[in-house]
């Protein structure tokens, strides 16, 4: 049982989408983890699943009628709004998102959302075309700016037979977002974060490339941690085998030059950059349009230098905070300090990738965070997700300008 959810008061709003049945499993999991759960159903949700299911699973009556006078003299939408620590709408229809965005309070759920000061979380689920409709997207963006939290839907085969974005996020992602709210402060709200991750591929011909074994796990963990703490996150990643973290703007690239272009485009608007990507320093001088045929016993490759993304970020730096990463095999702190000076960084996370549990291809990491002033902060061997949070804590503590922006 997760201690994080114990005795937390959670209202689950269920709206009229085909994924309404999945809310039953969510309520069951929350109750098993010790949360106190009350549910509000829209009238349309009751076309999809019976209130009896939620009553039984939550151990509480289901609220749905604005004008019900059964049981008590309390006004339900006000008492539920005050009772909730978190109100999560799962699944959230295009309709409820639109109504809340435009201040419409015409049933118990929308009125409670309007009246609550608790964090409201929406997990949208709908047909891909509905989800991508600029009106729906505009409503989501507007609500995000007002502090409403969204759990992005997954891609997949939808109940209507279409394939695309719009499938309700997985139960684990929803549980993580709800517990994340209780376990972490929203101390990066209002901050725009840019994270780079993974390897790049430098092609010789259409089927061969030079790359490295970076999995992208560290960068993805940082992006997820920042998003969980309320930041707006852009993640620019080379080819990796990871699903994009929830609530992160994902930009997939292949070569170092693609990554350079995307990063330079996003850089001016961001407040902090975590540059974890293992970018290829060199690329083949000549790219062959056709597959290179096996020929003589030797093939000599000439490589040319790729643009240095970090160096360029350092040159163009205005207010941004730049956090670089140095994966070294020897003289770790010394090389890291040199890199920090050369590239005008504010922090560098250095690790010795020959040590067990650190760097590439591990689920854990350990290293030292070196500040521009020369302070050395050791971060012990931790799971990459915890490592990411610890590093963010240390950077935030030493970045008064960022902290001021979030207050
Ligand atoms: C079979 C069926 C499935 C539906 N699935 C969804 C859905 O997944 N997402 C959505 O936004 N609307 C869906 N709708 C449309 C909503 O039910 C409709 O917009 C309704 O007004 C939503 O009301 P509510 O937000 O008050 O629950 C569906 C309708 C039907 C008939």
């Amino acid at each position: 049982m997760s201690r994080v959810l114990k005795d937390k008061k959670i209202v689950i709003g269920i709206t009229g989408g085909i994924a309404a049945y999945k809310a039953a499993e969510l309520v069951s999991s929350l109750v098993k983890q010790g949360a106190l759960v009350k549910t509000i159903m829209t009238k349309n949700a009751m076309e999809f699943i019976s209130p009896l299911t939620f009553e039984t699973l939550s151990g509480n009556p289901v609220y749905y009628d604005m004008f019900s006078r059964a049981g008590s003299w309390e006004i339900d939408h006000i008492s539920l709004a005050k009772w909730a620590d978190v109100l999560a709408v799962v699944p959230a229809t295009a309709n409820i998102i639109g109504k809340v965005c435009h201040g419409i309070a015409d049933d118990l759920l929308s009125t409670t959302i309007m009246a609550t000061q608790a964090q409201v979380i929406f997990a949208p689920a709908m047909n891909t075309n509905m989800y991508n409709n600029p009106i729906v997207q505009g409503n989501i963006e507007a609500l995000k700016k007002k502090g409403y939290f969204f759990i992005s839907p997954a891609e997949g085969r939808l109940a209507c037979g279409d394939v695309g974005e719009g499938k309700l996020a997985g139960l684990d992602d929803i549980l993580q977002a709800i517990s994340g709210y209780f376990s972490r402060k929203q101390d990066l709200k209002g901050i725009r974060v840019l994270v780079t991750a993974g390897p790049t591929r430098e092609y010789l011909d259409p089927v061969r490339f030079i790359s490295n074994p970076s999995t992208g796990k560290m960068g993805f963990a940082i992006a997820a941690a920042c998003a969980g703490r309320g930041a707006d996150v852009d993640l620019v990643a080379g080819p990796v085998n990871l699903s994009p973290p929830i609530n992160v703007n994902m930009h997939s690239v292949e070569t170092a030059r693609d990554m350079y272009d995307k990063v330079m485009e996003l850089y001016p608007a961001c407040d902090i950059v975590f540059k974890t990507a293992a970018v290829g320093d060199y690329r083949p001088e000549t790219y062959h349009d056709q597959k290179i045929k096996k020929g003589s016993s030797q093939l000599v490759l000439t490589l040319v230098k790729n643009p240095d993304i970090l160096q360029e970020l350092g040159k163009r730096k205005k207010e941004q905070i730049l956090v670089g990463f140095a994966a070294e095999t020897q003289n770790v702190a010394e090389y890291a300090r040199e890199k920090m000076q050369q590239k005008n960084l504010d922090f560098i996370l250095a690790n010795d990738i020959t040590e067990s549990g650190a760097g590439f291809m591990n689920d854990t990491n350990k290293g030292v965070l070196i500040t521009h002033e020369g302070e050395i902060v050791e971060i012990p061997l931790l799971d990459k997700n915890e490592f990411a949070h610890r590093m963010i804590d240390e950077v935030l503590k030493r970045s008064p300008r960022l902290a001021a922006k979030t207050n």
Side-chain angles (χ1 to χ4, degrees), residues 15-18 42 44-45 48 92-96 99 107 125-126 130:
T15 60
I18 204 78
T42 62
N44 292 322
F48 293 84
T93 52
N95 181 53
I96 189 75
K99 285 201 302 191
D107 63 4
M126 64 198 75
M130 277 174 90

Side-chain angles (χ1 to χ4, degrees), residues 226-300:
C226 291
R229 293 166 78 148
D232 284 315
V233 183
D234 285 297
L235 172 59
V236 181
V240 290
N241 266 328
L242 299 170
S243 329
I246 51 169
N247 295 315
V248 159
N249 306 312
M250 180 77 195
H251 309 273
S252 299
V253 295
E254 272 202 282
T255 68
R257 283 172 297 166
D258 295 341
M259 187 173 276
Y260 178 93
D261 291 343
K262 190 39 85 182
V263 167
M264 293 310 149
E265 177 193 321
L266 296 167
Y267 187 48
C270 79
D271 297 296
I272 179 162
V273 184
F274 293 96
K275 234 202 119 287
T276 70
V279 183
D281 291 330
Y282 293 90
R283 67 176 183 276
E285 184 176 40
T286 312
Y287 172 76
H288 297 261
D289 288 332
Q290 305 301 329
K291 185 179 167 193
I292 301 169
K293 290 287 171 214
K294 206 189 304 179
S296 55
S297 59
Q298 276 198 335
L299 177 69
V300 178

